[in-house]
Amino acid sequence: MLDKHQGARLANLWDDGKAAGMTEPEKLLYRSNLLGSDKRITNYGGGNTSAKVMEKDPLTGEMVEVLWVKGSGGDVGTIKMDGFSTLYMDKLRALKGIYRGVEFEDEMVGYLPHCTFNLNPRAASIDTPLHAYVPKPHVDHMHPDAIIAIAASKNSRELTSKIFGDEIGWLPWKRPGYELGLWLEKFCQENPDARGVVLESHGLFTWGDTAKEAYETTIEIINRAIAWFETENTGPAFGGRSKPVLAAADRAAIAKKLMPVIRGLISAGESKVGHFDDSQAVLDFVTSTSLEPLAALGTSCPDHFLRTKIRPLVVDFDPAQPDVGNTLAGLPEAIATYRADYAAYYERCKRADSPAMRDPNAVVYLVPGVGMITFAKDKATARISAEFYVNAINVMRGASGVSTYVGLPEQEAFDIEYWLLEEAKLQRMPKPKSLAGRIALVTGGAGGIGKATANRLMQEGACVVLADIDETALEAAQTELSTRYGKDFVRSVNMNVTSEAAVESGFGNALLAFGGLDILVSNAGLATSAAVEDTTLALWNKNMDILATGYFLVSREAFRIFRSQKAGGNVVFVASKNGLAASPGASAYCTAKAAEIHLARCLALEGASAQIRVNVVNPDAVLRGSKIWTGEWKEQRAAAYKMDVDELEAHYRERSMLKLSVFPEDIAEAIYFLASDMSAKSTGNIVNVDAGNAQSFTR
Ligand SMILES: [Zn+2]
């Protein structure tokens, strides 16, 4: 049996009511979004759709045939109208006259911009000729798990004809490009009644006379494959289970231990972000007898291995006799061996004009009985790589259940991975931001300074975990930041920094979310005001608990992670002018802030040998957006200075040397400086951001 979600048939979601009145390009968009909404039909970014439409030529006013086809780098599930490229069909056909043969097929990509219709700036993809030369008005190219399972079986041609008869043809493996477009055209000319074709080791092409017919054919053909697997693939998944599955809490606990260590070992070139997946499809694979042999074969569909590397690393861990210490001790060698194997693969397969070897580290780490860990340059890429490997698992499950699974031949895989056209795409990517791949945890993350800091770090590409005790504010902050920067970049954890257990579990959740930690911004705070003779022990302890003990607890946890990661680390404390300068009627607060500053100095000393930097930002009177500066404290301060609360902001401004108000964004800027490589050679420092206050000059 295929797993449950793969076993269910695809629903036909076409709605005539919705499609009525749509133009052909609108129907193409509608069909594309429907197809891409289900990962069983095609993986993220994979596959493409097209329509050949008659349009008025802006130059001549005559009606001409135009190919609308998904442009380079798009995703059919989320594509919008501007994601399609548009090209003159007569010019695309004219390209045949200048084609010099398969060994020159890559040069044809350079001619595609010459075929652009209506100055459309969307670049045409490498797959454009595949759509142009199929002599049908509407063409779908998908990467469905159930079809690739057939396409990646040893006898895929035979299986295709057994399941689909003459309706669906079969073409041997061929790298997508100009030549494959000509093959498809020839196939259609020789088989005018065929409704589609399976491409070996790759995916499916289907077509129709209308957008609806193309869509329904695609769904029908995939459903037929799913149904066939339901009746034929009835044995145990992957030849049966040979290892136990650990309980969910144990799986998470082991992932939290492994992820920072792996991250540290593979992040020398660029910081990486992790993703953990222990879904049922993954667990079936990582507990099976076939785990090692199938993983070694690598993935099949080109899209799959471009995202997951040619093969995963199977971590040496025995769920029957769990010994994480032993696994951790073996990781450096296992990862070094993977890198050496990758370098050997590069050397074996490279050609005279191949680009230089890229990062030789694995993307996918399979942990028997536990799940799958993926690492990439950012969270979205790590998450999508995991999705792709789940696609690959589904493919292996189907193929190995009915036949023998075959990965793509090594040289073919290499030629795609190091394709000069792929390299050109990589070269066009924008330069990474200054904190790309970095992971930060900000305590008091839902408040004024905390949220401004998270915003500043995310602006520079960091992933941020917001930690706060205010559940409502936390939710609002996460929503705000994920709307601005994308869901993948932000998580939140409820954390009372005075509770040892809450701090440990909050950092654990952060590890599970992103795989490590680079930056701790300890910012949670409070402020109280009372004459010393009126300061209760409870009030004194509250200040000490949050501002001294709380800063100790979060730093200790961060240090533990930094040391297991072995990649340095960065701590920024948000203290206060009052940690250096005495203030009337606030002895508990001022003393606790002084303790906090001295803790930072001690930690700077202790962390230096491990490249862990610890610095302090001292704000003063940041009223806007602050939860501290509401209610009591504000009234008490106003009373201490014998003024109205509304006069406070002006009072602080006038009191400062520069006569300026200090805002959360000003503090965030200093924190960003200390958390970034701009301050790589600074530790044990205090940066005052208080608009100037002679009393708090450091000395
Ligand atoms: Zn494809």
Side-chain angles (χ1 to χ4, degrees):
M1 280 280 290
L2 292 172
D3 75 52
K4 244 186 277 139
H5 78 269
Q6 204 187 347
R9 308 294 161 84
L10 306 172
N12 180 347
L13 301 173
W14 187 274
D15 181 340
D16 280 325
K18 271 191 189 161
M22 282 185 185
T23 63
E24 284 303 335
E26 283 165 353
K27 276 188 235 175
L28 170 65
L29 177 67
Y30 175 54
R31 165 174 125 230
S32 305
N33 292 162
L34 286 184
L35 291 169
S37 66
D38 192 326
K39 293 283 173 287
R40 294 170 297 169
I41 298 176
T42 203
N43 51 278
Y44 177 83
N48 25 58
T49 47
S50 70
K52 300 178 183 81
V53 181
M54 295 307 290
E55 303 222 25
K56 195 180 200 177
D57 190 328
L59 288 177
T60 64
E62 281 169 28
M63 295 303 280
V64 289
E65 193 181 7
V66 176
L67 176 71
W68 284 69
V69 59
K70 188 192 92 171
S72 184
D75 168 57
V76 288
T78 51
I79 194 171
K80 299 197 171 64
M81 212 50 118
D82 66 359
F84 292 96
S85 53
T86 48
L87 306 99
Y88 287 98
M89 273 302 298
D90 59 350
K91 292 192 183 185
L92 286 168
R93 290 191 187 103
L95 292 182
K96 288 184 196 168
I98 51 171
Y99 182 48
R100 296 197 290 155
V102 65
E103 60 271 45
F104 303 103
E105 69 168 346
D106 286 359
E107 74 184 17
M108 301 309 285
V109 175
Y111 290 112
L112 293 176
H114 294 277
C115 305
T116 304
F117 172 79
N118 203 18
L119 301 176
N120 183 347
R122 175 65 59 186
S125 91
I126 292 163
D127 283 1
T128 301
L130 281 56
H131 288 261
Y133 296 146
V134 169
K136 303 284 175 184
H138 302 271
V139 180
D140 289 341
H141 165 48
M142 296 287 121
H143 295 161
D145 291 348
I147 297 289
I148 305 177
I150 296 163
S153 287
K154 200 174 177 182
N155 55 339
S156 78
R157 178 175 211 158
E158 189 190 321
L159 289 181
T160 304
S161 107
K162 199 161 145 187
I163 302 167
F164 301 110
D166 294 337
E167 279 178 72
I168 300 292
W170 180 92
L171 288 174
W173 162 255
K174 176 85 201 141
R175 190 172 76 175
Y178 197 83
E179 183 74 15
L180 183 57
L182 297 180
W183 284 20
L184 281 161
E185 179 180 44
K186 186 163 175 275
F187 171 84
C188 291
Q189 285 162 348
E190 289 170 358
N191 302 274
D193 296 328
R195 302 168 72 200
V197 60
V198 167
L199 305 181
E200 185 185 26
S201 294
H202 182 168
L204 177 69
F205 262 85
T206 37
W207 43 75
D209 289 330
T210 64
K212 183 182 177 182
E213 188 194 326
Y215 171 78
E216 290 184 337
T217 300
T218 304
I219 298 295
E220 181 199 325
I221 297 302
I222 300 170
N223 271 338
R224 244 198 276 172
I226 292 172
W228 185 82
F229 276 106
E230 276 175 5
T231 50
E232 297 294 319
N233 190 14
T234 51
F238 305 111
R241 177 167 285 179
S242 64
K243 306 160 187 76
V245 181
L246 297 186
D250 296 334
R251 299 199 295 268
I254 287 164
K256 282 176 209 168
K257 289 206 170 92
L258 297 180
M259 289 174 89
V261 176
I262 295 173
R263 181 170 186 259
L265 290 166
I266 63 169
S267 288
E270 61 172 8
S271 286
K272 297 205 169 66
V273 184
H275 182 78
F276 177 60
D277 181 339
D278 59 351
S279 59
Q280 194 57 47
V282 171
L283 291 176
D284 285 346
F285 186 52
V286 299
T287 52
S288 72
T289 47
S290 315
L291 169 62
E292 282 85 0
L294 278 177
L297 290 177
T299 55
S300 177
C301 178
D303 261 23
H304 294 176
F305 72 74
L306 273 176
R307 290 282 192 164
T308 63
K309 279 256 165 67
I310 184 156
R311 60 183 59 90
L313 188 157
V314 179
V315 174
D316 182 18
F317 176 77
D318 182 2
Q321 286 167 308
D323 181 354
V324 195
N326 194 38
T327 301
L328 290 172
L331 276 175
E333 203 196 320
I335 286 171
T337 304
Y338 185 97
R339 280 199 284 252
D341 287 350
Y342 184 86
Y345 148 78
Y346 177 84
E347 288 301 323
R348 267 198 310 278
C349 299
K350 75 172 179 193
R351 297 177 187 272
D353 58 351
S354 290
M357 186 176 83
R358 303 197 190 107
D359 182 9
N361 289 296
V363 171
V364 179
Y365 300 79
L366 299 172
V367 191
V370 173
M372 166 170 65
I373 294 164
T374 48
F375 274 103
K377 65 180 167 64
D378 56 47
K379 177 70 183 182
T381 311
R383 175 179 55 73
I384 292 166
S385 299
E387 283 175 19
F388 276 63
Y389 202 75
V390 170
N391 288 122
I393 286 173
N394 290 336
V395 165
M396 289 187 281
R397 184 171 186 159
S400 67
V402 298
S403 174
T404 301
Y405 168 77
V406 279
L408 209 57
E410 186 177 81
Q411 187 66 50
E412 288 295 327
F414 178 89
D415 287 346
I416 287 195
E417 191 177 350
Y418 284 90
W419 201 352
L420 293 174
L421 296 173
E422 283 293 337
E423 177 69 9
K425 243 196 249 175
L426 293 176
Q427 296 299 338
R428 282 198 299 268
M429 302 250 274
K431 200 171 150 272
K433 294 177 180 171
S434 69
L435 295 180
R438 308 285 172 92
I439 302 158
L441 187 144
V442 182
T443 72
I449 293 174
K451 197 171 77 180
T453 300
N455 182 65
R456 188 69 186 92
L457 301 180
M458 289 172 78
Q459 230 172 46
E460 296 299 330
C463 293
V464 174
V465 179
L466 306 168
D468 210 300
I469 46 169
D470 184 339
E471 193 72 51
T472 316
L474 200 53
E475 220 170 272
Q478 187 179 355
T479 305
E480 181 188 327
L481 292 168
S482 64
T483 307
R484 198 171 305 149
Y485 297 104
K487 281 196 174 83
D488 285 309
F489 284 91
V490 59
R491 295 286 183 279
S492 60
V493 291
N494 190 307
M495 189 194 288
N496 174 354
V497 296
T498 68
S499 154
E500 191 170 23
V503 168
E504 278 175 16
S505 99
F507 276 79
N509 288 336
L511 285 182
L512 214 50
F514 293 126
L517 186 73
D518 303 293
I519 299 161
L520 164 66
V521 180
S522 187
N523 159 70
L526 87 164
T528 66
S529 179
V532 67
E533 62 274 21
D534 299 327
T535 300
T536 62
L537 180 59
L539 189 68
W540 174 266
N541 283 343
K542 194 174 176 190
N543 278 279
M544 284 300 178
D545 282 350
I546 296 175
L547 301 174
T549 310
Y551 279 57
F552 150 69
L553 285 175
V554 296
S555 301
R556 185 180 69 177
E557 215 50 38
F559 265 60
R560 285 173 177 164
I561 296 171
F562 293 157
R563 290 203 189 276
S564 74
Q565 242 174 202
K566 294 193 176 73
N570 209 308
V571 179
V572 182
F573 279 6
V574 178
S576 166
K577 178 208 78 182
N578 292 128
L580 298 171
S583 190
S587 56
Y589 176 72
C590 294
T591 309
K593 279 292 181 187
E596 184 193 316
I597 290 173
H598 204 59
L599 173 62
R601 293 179 176 129
C602 296
L603 298 182
L605 185 67
E606 212 173 307
S609 61
Q611 298 298 314
I612 300 169
R613 300 191 291 120
V614 185
N615 291 290
V616 175
V617 175
N618 271 350
D620 185 34
V622 180
L623 279 73
R624 189 189 294 173
S626 168
K627 282 186 284 175
I628 295 169
W629 283 93
T630 51
E632 260 192 346
W633 167 257
K634 211 170 180 177
E635 282 159 24
Q636 287 161 349
R637 287 288 89 189
Y641 295 120
K642 300 188 170 44
M643 60 180 63
D644 206 69
V645 283
D646 298 335
E647 296 168 317
L648 268 179
E649 187 162 340
H651 163 76
Y652 285 116
R653 187 172 60 235
E654 289 314 312
R655 191 182 71 175
S656 74
M657 290 160 52
L658 298 171
K659 309 289 179 212
L660 293 169
S661 293
V662 182
F663 301 121
E665 293 71 25
D666 302 320
I667 311 304
E669 199 61 35
I671 293 170
Y672 163 54
F673 170 74
L674 291 173
S676 74
D677 295 344
M678 286 188 291
S679 61
K681 296 176 184 174
S682 294
T683 191
N685 277 319
I686 298 172
V687 176
N688 287 325
V689 186
D690 55 6
N693 186 306
Q695 250 197 310
S696 53
F697 283 0
T698 54
R699 57 188 72 82

